[in-house]
Amino acid sequence: MAALWKRVLLPGTLLAPSARPPGWREATLGADLGGAVRVRFAPSPTGFLHLGGLRTALYNYLFAKKHQGSFILRLEDTDQTRLVPGAAENIEDMLEWAGIPPDESPRRGGPAGPYQQSQRLALYTQAAETLLKTGAAYRCFCSPQRLELLKREALRSHQTPRYDNRCRNLSQKQVAQRLAANPKPAIRFRLEAAAPAFEDLVHGWSRHEVVSVEGDPIILKSDGFPTYHLACVVDDHLMGISHVLRGSEWLSSTSKHLLLYQALGWQPPRFAHLPLLLNRDGSKLSKRQGDIFLEHFAAAGFLPDALLDIVTNCGSGFAENQMGRTLPELITQFDLTRITCHSALLDLQKLPEFNRLLERADLRLTQDVLNGELKRLSEGLQGTKHSIVMKLLRVALSGQLQGPPVAEMMVSLGLKEVQERIQKALSS
């Protein structure tokens, strides 16, 4: 009997379900997909990954995989004063836990690295120097105190604070004199040309006349770190990003970014600004809400697919809302042209319902996979009937000759208990 047990229950032959292909469906988005699709999720590690960030990352992932492209994680850590210890690692950990790992990232590496902005400072300095040489940028020697006074005066007059462009017309002699006293000034981008109109893939045609409402923006700070405006343009260009899918809060800055692309002589990517993900009452998701971080849901035992399911069901991007969709189904059904401008309202009280639905689906899937594997195991044992194999397993797992299906018992007992009971049977 022991010999038959060992013949049936060879190590490594159980609980090895066959891999399921994702089943992508190729789609098109006009003539924009002539080249390789490369998208990026670019959070700042000033906090751990929360549901709003997950949704942005997910939509980038779905778009990339639908078009057989690349999903890149880039950490925008240029604001060194606000970094949270462990946040960078948490962001990539949680993307992997959610089942949407990046193809290129600080951890995985890739051809366009490094993928952390604090390690790319020389690239931003080079771009700023190029803009200085062409006259598209200039050095600013204004002190933080002066800039703060400008801001206070504007607020006191009920006006939007803006830089008065004091340093943009300094002569070469004046610049040289100031450089002698302050060799590391900030660098500002000269806003002169009319902002170009652009077609956002969500909001349609748009233009923001930044020249009339803003002062010249800082693109490189005196400490050598770039601001968001320069860093995202340089990185998106050098990383070959084809489509930028980001939050709608950046829509008004896009005209400024297009002016930078124009000044640097680079072709910009296509833009799609995603609507906000809000609480059920319409209030903004806040990092101060302890229950919106992914590690909270992971610790509470929620399935990653349940989170992906609920954040896609509360918004747009699909022909219809449907509970219980798996990640391959989300990839197949995702349609960027169906994303609307309306904010998505997230009702977390429904999350347990989404979780239960997927738990039942996982249970059925696991039993089906196990039944298939057990049948293949029996077929590989010449001279041993499938019914004999099932009886042996049933006895090993329950001590009974009759009972529930073997696959059902395995799922109920769990992997560790199944292994212990089979090992006990083998040694008896």
Side-chain angles (χ1 to χ4, degrees):
M1 176 65 74
L4 181 58
W5 272 114
K6 291 177 181 178
R7 182 166 173 248
V8 172
L9 303 176
L10 290 173
T13 59
L14 288 178
L15 302 173
S18 302
R20 299 181 67 198
W24 297 340
R25 174 176 64 85
E26 185 174 355
T28 59
L29 196 67
D32 303 319
L33 300 181
V37 169
R38 288 175 61 83
V39 298
R40 49 55 163 197
F41 173 53
S44 173
T46 55
F48 290 1
L49 186 62
H50 58 76
L51 289 174
L54 173 66
R55 178 170 174 266
T56 301
L58 175 61
Y59 276 30
N60 275 278
Y61 180 91
L62 295 178
F63 184 74
K65 299 309 172 185
K66 186 178 183 70
H67 299 292
Q68 301 181 356
S70 298
F71 170 54
I72 297 162
L73 172 64
R74 183 175 76 219
L75 295 178
E76 301 194 339
D77 61 343
T78 56
D79 190 346
Q80 297 284 294
T81 63
R82 298 177 57 225
L83 297 183
V84 172
E89 294 78 8
N90 172 270
I91 290 169
E92 194 153 0
D93 287 344
M94 289 296 98
L95 289 178
E96 293 176 355
W97 172 81
I100 53 173
D103 300 301
E104 303 169 28
S105 70
R107 182 178 298 168
R108 293 171 180 254
Y115 295 89
Q116 213 159 323
Q117 287 187 335
S118 59
Q119 299 173 11
R120 301 171 62 86
L121 299 185
L123 298 173
Y124 312 130
T125 299
Q126 183 179 355
E129 290 291 340
T130 297
L131 294 172
L132 284 171
K133 289 177 182 177
T134 61
Y138 61 91
R139 294 177 176 86
C140 177
F141 301 91
C142 293
S143 67
Q145 294 78 11
R146 180 178 186 275
L147 297 177
E148 180 63 25
L149 287 173
L150 284 175
K151 179 180 178 181
R152 290 183 181 180
E153 182 60 31
L155 293 175
R156 189 180 300 114
S157 304
H158 305 288
Q159 297 177 348
T160 301
R162 56 182 294 179
Y163 178 57
D164 60 0
N165 299 345
R166 178 180 182 179
C167 293
R168 67 147 53 191
N169 294 317
L170 293 177
S171 67
Q172 291 185 356
K173 181 178 179 181
Q174 289 174 315
V175 169
Q177 290 173 341
R178 285 166 170 76
L179 279 174
N182 179 11
K184 291 186 177 181
I187 296 177
R188 291 183 181 270
F189 179 58
R190 194 185 298 269
L191 293 176
E192 288 185 330
F198 66 97
E199 186 179 14
D200 187 85
L201 296 174
V202 173
H203 294 261
W205 284 97
S206 180
R207 176 192 283 143
H208 296 87
E209 294 296 347
V210 290
V211 177
S212 61
V213 297
E214 296 185 31
D216 295 337
I218 290 177
I219 55 174
L220 196 69
K221 295 178 286 186
S222 58
D223 61 3
F225 279 80
T227 60
Y228 174 79
H229 306 299
L230 179 66
C232 75
V233 167
V234 171
D235 288 344
D236 287 344
H237 172 71
L238 295 180
M239 291 182 177
I241 300 302
S242 63
H243 295 74
V244 173
L245 279 64
R246 60 187 178 186
S248 59
E249 65 270 23
W250 295 110
L251 180 63
S252 61
S253 295
T254 304
S255 292
K256 193 185 311 178
H257 299 162
L258 290 173
L259 287 172
L260 276 166
Y261 276 105
Q262 185 174 292
L264 289 164
W266 295 341
Q267 180 69 29
R270 297 301 308 272
F271 293 93
H273 287 87
L274 307 175
L276 295 175
L277 182 65
L278 305 176
N279 290 309
R280 183 178 58 168
D281 61 2
S283 60
K284 288 186 178 181
L285 293 178
S286 170
K287 294 180 181 180
R288 287 185 288 272
Q289 296 173 240
D291 61 350
I292 69 167
F293 294 101
L294 262 64
E295 61 178 359
H296 161 79
F297 298 104
F302 286 102
L303 295 172
D305 280 356
L307 290 176
L308 303 185
D309 201 10
I310 195 169
V311 299
T312 51
N313 266 278
C314 70
S316 52
F318 300 86
E320 59 182 359
N321 288 337
Q322 173 189 334
M323 291 179 65
R325 283 182 293 217
T326 63
L327 185 56
E329 289 171 335
L330 289 173
I331 293 171
T332 300
Q333 297 177 24
F334 180 69
D335 185 351
L336 183 61
T337 64
R338 290 185 177 273
I339 296 179
T340 68
C341 304
H342 305 297
S343 297
L345 300 181
L346 179 65
D347 187 357
L348 284 177
Q349 293 183 2
K350 294 181 179 179
L351 182 58
E353 181 181 351
F354 280 85
N355 204 61
R356 284 192 296 271
L357 179 63
L358 286 166
E359 283 178 334
R360 291 195 294 269
D362 279 356
L363 184 62
R364 291 193 300 272
L365 174 61
T366 304
Q367 290 182 15
D368 289 343
V369 171
L370 281 173
N371 278 324
E373 291 297 318
L374 291 169
K375 186 175 181 180
R376 279 190 287 274
L377 172 65
S378 301
E379 292 171 351
L381 298 170
Q382 295 181 358
T384 305
K385 293 183 178 180
H386 180 64
S387 59
I388 297 298
V389 176
M390 293 302 99
K391 285 182 180 180
L392 289 172
L393 283 171
R394 184 175 287 107
V395 171
L397 297 174
S398 67
Q400 305 293 323
L401 291 173
Q402 296 181 344
V406 171
E408 183 179 329
M409 283 194 293
M410 286 181 161
V411 172
S412 299
L413 291 170
L415 176 60
K416 184 178 179 181
E417 184 65 24
V418 167
Q419 290 174 331
E420 290 178 353
R421 294 191 183 193
I422 289 177
Q423 186 61 44
K424 184 178 180 181
L426 285 169
S427 60
S428 62

